[in-house]
Amino acid sequence: MYKLLLFAGTTEGRELAEYLAGCKVQVTACVATEYGETLISPQTNLTVHAGRMDRQQMQQLIQQEGFDLVIDATHPYAAVVTQNIAAACAQTDVPLYRCLRESEQGQDELEGYPHLLMAQDTEQAAHLLEEIEGNILLTTGSKELPAYRQVKGFAERFYPRVLPLANVVESCLALGIPAAHLIAMQGPFSYALNRALLEQFHIRFLVTKDGGAAGGFAEKAQAAEDTGAQLIVLRRPAEQGETAEQILTRCKEVLAWSH
């Protein structure tokens, strides 16, 4: 039976897993956390593997299981993971498809949003916030939070929105974020909820990634515009790939050929 390895760190990855589970193939879906594992239902021909892997561990898994194809549907900002997957596939000579989440708009159009600043990366975003005053809603995840400790008034100004997991909450509290500032919720988030949070905590700056429709970018951007908050958007790392729809089309072609 044809065997596929799917790194499914996004909504698109989970959709691909659900589709492939209905095909006559054996699929192993890899997620980084136990929480991610709960979002994919195991089936007869779908196995879920939870846990972070480095390049060597990925390579060993590919070799041991003898996968015919690897699909990288990890988050567009998980550049190191994508590099490790590509290296592992190159070492094992296994074909790799890269599934990219579609951007909400092109970069030029993004820059046309009112109240918007673009940052090349987290470091530049932190530098921007050092120069200005006001409360900050950080929606880029707990892993990015330590990079902002240099910002003056860090504990008083930051309101991180993170996953409602014990280890995530503990890591934020350990950095000095007050419990009253911690927004532990699972998305997606509506325009109304985004606006309510911006108003409730008197937010002047909303830091986000260009997560496209799946990441609720439009809802955040509109809420920021309507409340007068400044939107700071981290640029996506430059890479080449295809959308989930294009990847599905290619998978169907490969699977049809393999039967």
Side-chain angles (χ1 to χ4, degrees), residues 21-100:
C23 301
K24 294 180 180 179
V25 294
Q26 187 64 45
V27 184
T28 297
C30 291
V31 294
T33 64
E34 292 182 359
Y35 172 74
E37 184 177 12
T38 66
L39 301 178
I40 301 178
S41 300
Q43 300 184 39
T44 302
N45 62 327
L46 173 60
T47 302
V48 182
H49 176 280
R52 302 183 188 279
M53 291 185 285
D54 59 23
R55 182 197 57 76
Q56 185 175 5
Q57 290 169 322
M58 292 174 182
Q59 184 175 328
Q60 290 174 346
L61 178 62
I62 294 171
Q63 290 174 327
Q64 291 171 0
E65 298 297 328
F67 290 107
D68 299 292
L69 175 68
V70 175
I71 301 174
D72 175 9
T74 58
H75 199 278
Y77 288 83
V80 174
V81 176
T82 288
Q83 291 168 8
N84 286 339
I85 294 170
C89 288
Q91 287 294 319
T92 54
D93 198 28
V94 174
L96 169 66
Y97 292 169
R98 172 64 172 132
C99 175
L100 285 183

Side-chain angles (χ1 to χ4, degrees), residues 139-206:
T139 67
T140 56
S142 60
K143 288 170 59 178
E144 310 288 339
L145 188 57
Y148 293 95
R149 294 184 72 179
Q150 67 188 44
V151 178
K152 184 179 179 180
F154 170 76
E156 294 77 23
R157 297 177 60 195
F158 273 81
Y159 290 78
R161 189 164 71 188
V162 298
L163 289 173
L165 302 175
N167 64 314
V168 171
V169 172
E170 290 170 2
S171 67
C172 293
L173 295 175
L175 289 171
I177 295 294
H181 286 210
L182 195 56
I183 305 167
M185 304 177 69
Q186 168 63 41
F189 302 98
S190 66
Y191 160 80
L193 182 51
N194 281 311
R195 177 163 184 164
L197 291 173
L198 293 173
E199 292 176 337
Q200 172 71 24
F201 297 114
H202 308 289
I203 299 298
R204 289 192 58 192
F205 304 94
L206 191 164

Side-chain angles (χ1 to χ4, degrees), residues 6-20 29-31 35-36 39-41 71-76 98-102 163 186-189 211-217 236 243-245 248:
L6 170 66
F7 289 91
T10 58
T11 301
E12 294 84 355
R14 294 191 289 274
E15 292 174 352
L16 283 167
E18 291 175 2
Y19 168 78
L20 293 170
C30 291
V31 294
Y35 172 74
L39 301 178
I40 301 178
S41 300
I71 301 174
D72 175 9
T74 58
H75 199 278
R98 172 64 172 132
C99 175
L100 285 183
R101 172 176 289 182
E102 292 186 272
L163 289 173
Q186 168 63 41
F189 302 98
F217 180 85
R236 289 190 179 191
T243 65
E245 183 178 353
L248 274 176

